[in-house]
Amino acid sequence: MLKGIAASEGIGIGKVRIISQQKITYDTKPVIGVHKEIDRLHDAIDTFIDKTNQLADEMEKSVNPKEAKIIRGHVTMLSDPFMVSQMDELIKNDNKCAEAAAETVLDMFKNMFQQAGDELTRQRATDVEDIKTRLLRILLGIEEADLKHLPPGTVLVTNDLTPSMTAEMDHENVVGIVTESGGMTSHSAILSRALEIPAVLSVLNATATLKEGSNIIVDGINGEVIDAPTMDQQEAYEQRREDYFEEKKRLQAYVGKRTETADGMSKEVFCNIGNPKDGIAARDRDGEGIGLFRTEFLFMDRNSMPGEDEQYEAYKKVCDTMEGKTVIIRTLDVGGDKEIPYMNLIKEDNPFLGYRAIRYCLQNEDAYMLQLRALVRANHDTGGNLWIMVPMVASISEIMQVRKLVAKAAEDLSMPIPKVGTMIETPAAFIMADVLARHCDFFSIGTNDLTQYIMAADRGNASVAYLYKTYDPAVLRALRSIISAGKKAGIPVGMCGEAAADPMLIPLLISFGLDEFSVGPTSVLHTRAEINRWTKAQADEVAKGVLQLETAEEVKMFLKEAIK
């Protein structure tokens, strides 16, 4: 049995198809015809752009617009005049061949992304590697592996599932995915979940250990890969696969139902999204609102700041899609960990604790006011259900300053002031939550960052992963305290971190008094069903036991037994 990260739920049973990432080699001798070589490079880039746009069109139809956007980002990146000019300069000044020029520049960008402070930006290194490999293949006339004609019951085994591979592959016949790299937020994970294909990632030496054509089981629930299973194992996992499908059918009973506990206490399940088109998935998956719209994606992969009207259209589109339901939009959350050249962000040694989010926005008031005006307009024009969420707040003065700016924008536009709340993700905000609540219309807890800041453990650092646990009593006590502060102040409290969808934490969150659970669109029904399992009294009993424990391991074991 091989172990990895359970990145996409389900059980896949089939035969191995290994997609090896062979090293591409070429002759690096200096070129003689410089202009001819530059033309060759530009022709290859044009071919790349044409093929990639075709792939994105196919992906938009077969997967969904969100995932197509990932691969359209490849076109944006390789269309960047600065990147192309650097390749041209290497051909002109260093007599490099087109292949060497392209590889040198793309490797430079890849290394830059790999050194970024946050995992999301580091994942873009995979995009650059994908672009490089495909561009070199075009320059050298090397055929791509045929993923369009796969036999039924195929399990893809590869180093990394790139966006281009996903766009190319025959989704209907792929029953499982195993990769040697990637984590929960990698493209491999995101694309596997979007396709609802069971996937186990970061399986050490998978392409060397597993044999082409051998029988294999991919357990995307527990993160296990069973090579050459016995008859008994095969039968057991076939039953588990049937049980999994039955569970999915059972969840359909919760479509269109109110979210409530077993004793009738009303809750809400909202969705986290990254762009306006994601709102469609949130609506179609029965989300009761949007708990987090990450607006930074409007600002990335472009050469200039989006204007007020462009932002307004994006925010309005989400509100229109959700048809009057609450839409919580987080103001710009960027810093030195993200590569956005036009913002002139300085690379920092520790960007997670640096000049980012509201700290950047309040120092760049003119640009921030464009976003706030767009939000005020969208709120007014869609019925008043847009709420503004402020990230990375560490001081009461920050939220007070934001409220003044929102009020000014509303006054200038002669429009109502939207609700303004705080994303609780810093220890300072947690400690001052009772005071902060006096200045907020709502709280939303960002457990991903709150956990890493409370535990002083970078969530992207494998060496301290043992500390990064939301089950830690320190984190759980913080959650209880934040929710309590919100409830005492009479404001709603939601959660938009991954913990909101964790079945083991749901009874605790019910007991603590959480109002709104914001999850990925595919987790809506499962979260609603889990909430419906518990009465408040049962949840309080679980919380009482948990709060007497001292370690994350004890808490996890206790909760595993409790949810049975």
Side-chain angles (χ1 to χ4, degrees):
M1 180 188 293
L2 305 177
K3 294 286 291 182
I5 296 171
S8 181
E9 280 196 352
I11 304 292
I13 302 173
K15 292 187 180 297
V16 171
R17 170 70 191 279
I18 294 175
I19 308 297
S20 56
Q21 313 283 60
Q22 62 190 69
K23 185 172 176 59
I24 297 174
T25 59
Y26 52 85
D27 192 343
T28 58
K29 66 183 180 182
V31 298
I32 299 172
V34 169
H35 293 296
K36 186 177 179 181
E37 196 66 11
I38 288 175
D39 287 343
R40 193 166 75 88
L41 172 65
H42 288 194
D43 287 344
I45 291 173
D46 289 342
T47 300
F48 176 96
I49 290 170
D50 288 343
K51 285 187 172 182
T52 305
N53 278 326
Q54 288 174 19
L55 284 176
D57 290 342
E58 292 173 15
M59 205 171 190
E60 203 161 68
K61 294 172 188 173
S62 61
V63 188
N64 64 44
K66 177 184 175 182
E67 275 59 50
K69 188 177 179 183
I70 293 174
I71 201 161
R72 288 199 196 280
H74 293 194
V75 173
T76 303
M77 195 177 292
L78 201 54
S79 299
D80 185 345
F82 175 71
M83 180 182 281
V84 177
S85 68
Q86 286 190 307
M87 296 177 189
D88 291 348
E89 289 298 315
L90 288 174
I91 296 173
K92 287 178 190 174
N93 300 334
D94 296 358
N95 281 332
K96 284 186 178 289
C97 63
E99 290 86 352
E103 184 162 30
T104 300
V105 172
L106 289 165
D107 277 346
M108 178 187 73
F109 276 86
K110 176 184 170 183
N111 292 335
M112 180 176 66
F113 287 134
Q114 284 177 328
Q115 292 165 17
D118 79 308
E119 189 176 358
L120 188 63
T121 305
R122 286 198 294 269
Q123 294 298 341
R124 296 181 72 195
T126 302
D127 290 307
V128 180
E129 182 64 26
D130 195 10
I131 291 168
K132 182 181 79 172
T133 300
R134 294 180 59 231
L135 183 59
L136 290 177
R137 285 180 180 276
I138 291 168
L139 282 164
L140 295 165
I142 300 172
E143 290 292 322
E144 299 274 358
D146 181 14
L147 298 180
K148 288 185 176 178
H149 303 96
L150 298 169
T154 295
V155 175
L156 285 185
V157 180
T158 185
N159 173 260
D160 194 8
L161 182 70
T162 65
S164 62
M165 287 168 62
T166 308
E168 288 272 15
M169 77 182 185
D170 179 359
H171 309 141
E172 294 297 321
N173 289 336
V174 176
V175 297
I177 293 167
V178 179
T179 71
E180 294 179 333
S181 59
M184 284 299 292
T185 59
S186 69
H187 286 333
S188 298
I190 293 167
L191 294 167
S192 300
R193 288 195 291 269
L195 293 165
E196 297 186 345
I197 297 174
V200 180
L201 311 185
S202 289
V203 178
L204 191 65
N205 297 324
T207 56
T209 305
L210 301 171
K211 304 300 180 188
E212 181 79 22
S214 66
N215 292 326
I216 188 175
I217 295 170
V218 180
D219 182 349
I221 300 167
N222 297 305
E224 296 172 348
V225 177
I226 295 89
D227 186 24
T230 65
M231 188 67 74
D232 287 345
Q233 286 176 317
Q234 180 100 3
E235 289 176 359
Y237 274 93
E238 284 174 354
Q239 183 59 54
R240 286 183 59 190
R241 182 173 60 181
E242 289 303 313
D243 292 343
Y244 175 76
F245 287 138
E246 284 299 317
E247 173 68 3
K248 287 189 73 173
K249 286 181 186 175
R250 183 184 72 83
L251 292 179
Q252 291 304 301
Y254 292 91
V255 174
K257 297 289 180 66
R258 290 176 61 247
T259 301
E260 59 184 14
T261 60
D263 52 348
M265 185 181 295
S266 183
K267 302 292 179 183
E268 291 180 301
V269 179
F270 284 11
C271 291
N272 301 327
I273 64 171
N275 62 60
K277 290 181 179 177
D278 291 353
I280 298 170
R283 181 196 64 199
D284 293 348
R285 296 277 187 164
D286 212 33
E288 294 166 278
I290 300 298
L292 169 62
F293 175 12
R294 303 176 182 91
T295 60
E296 56 270 22
F297 292 97
L298 288 167
F299 295 76
M300 296 173 71
D301 294 325
R302 57 188 298 146
N303 299 317
S304 61
M305 183 85 68
E308 179 184 325
D309 288 344
E310 182 182 350
Q311 292 189 58
Y312 161 78
E313 291 296 339
Y315 308 146
K316 181 177 181 295
K317 185 173 183 179
V318 175
C319 292
D320 287 341
T321 299
M322 296 308 294
E323 301 171 341
K325 295 175 180 176
T326 301
V327 174
I328 302 176
I329 299 182
R330 184 176 72 185
T331 61
L332 182 62
D333 185 359
V334 296
D337 57 322
K338 292 184 171 67
E339 184 63 24
I340 306 179
Y342 66 84
M343 285 189 175
N344 300 312
L345 297 166
I346 298 171
K347 186 170 178 58
E348 299 174 294
D349 290 337
N350 195 340
F352 281 125
L353 300 179
Y355 185 54
R356 60 170 284 203
I358 195 56
R359 302 167 183 184
Y360 171 86
C361 291
L362 291 177
Q363 292 297 315
N364 293 272
E365 193 173 297
D366 289 345
Y368 193 38
M369 281 299 286
L370 289 180
Q371 182 170 42
L372 296 180
R373 284 175 59 88
L375 290 165
V376 169
R377 287 171 58 194
N379 175 63
H380 173 264
D381 293 351
T382 57
N385 291 304
L386 184 155
W387 299 5
I388 298 173
M389 178 162 63
V390 186
M392 197 62 185
V393 169
S395 164
I396 305 298
S397 61
E398 290 170 330
I399 196 67
M400 293 173 69
Q401 195 172 345
V402 172
R403 293 201 75 109
K404 287 180 182 177
L405 294 176
V406 174
K408 183 179 186 305
E411 182 181 0
D412 291 346
L413 292 162
S414 299
M415 293 178 179
I417 299 173
K419 289 187 177 181
V420 177
T422 298
M423 188 170 186
I424 306 291
E425 53 189 333
T426 68
F430 139 54
I431 293 167
M432 294 293 288
D434 58 332
V435 180
L436 200 55
R438 299 175 203 157
H439 303 275
C440 292
D441 297 312
F442 67 94
F443 281 166
S444 186
I445 305 171
T447 50
N448 298 353
D449 274 345
L450 182 65
T451 300
Q452 77 167 345
Y453 291 139
I454 285 180
M455 301 307 297
D458 178 0
R459 58 187 167 126
N461 186 338
S463 299
V464 293
Y466 71 97
L467 289 170
Y468 179 77
K469 292 174 181 173
T470 310
Y471 299 116
D472 194 279
V475 179
L476 297 179
R477 290 179 185 219
L479 297 180
R480 182 182 60 167
S481 178
I482 293 164
I483 296 168
S484 175
K487 304 304 284 184
K488 285 178 182 175
I491 62 173
V493 182
M495 179 179 289
C496 54
E498 288 185 12
D502 187 335
M504 292 205 297
L505 290 174
I506 282 173
L508 292 183
L509 299 176
I510 291 172
S511 177
F512 295 164
L514 190 73
D515 299 298
E516 171 254 302
F517 299 67
S518 193
V519 302
T522 57
S523 298
V524 168
L525 296 181
H526 193 269
T527 304
R528 183 173 297 152
E530 285 298 317
I531 292 170
N532 190 240
R533 286 182 61 196
W534 297 90
T535 65
K536 177 68 163 56
Q538 290 169 333
D540 286 343
E541 194 65 28
V542 172
K544 181 180 176 182
V546 163
L547 292 171
Q548 296 175 21
L549 303 175
E550 299 178 352
T551 68
E553 289 70 26
E554 289 175 338
V555 169
K556 192 170 183 180
M557 287 178 63
F558 183 93
L559 290 175
K560 272 187 176 178
E561 288 301 313
I563 68 170
K564 288 179 181 178

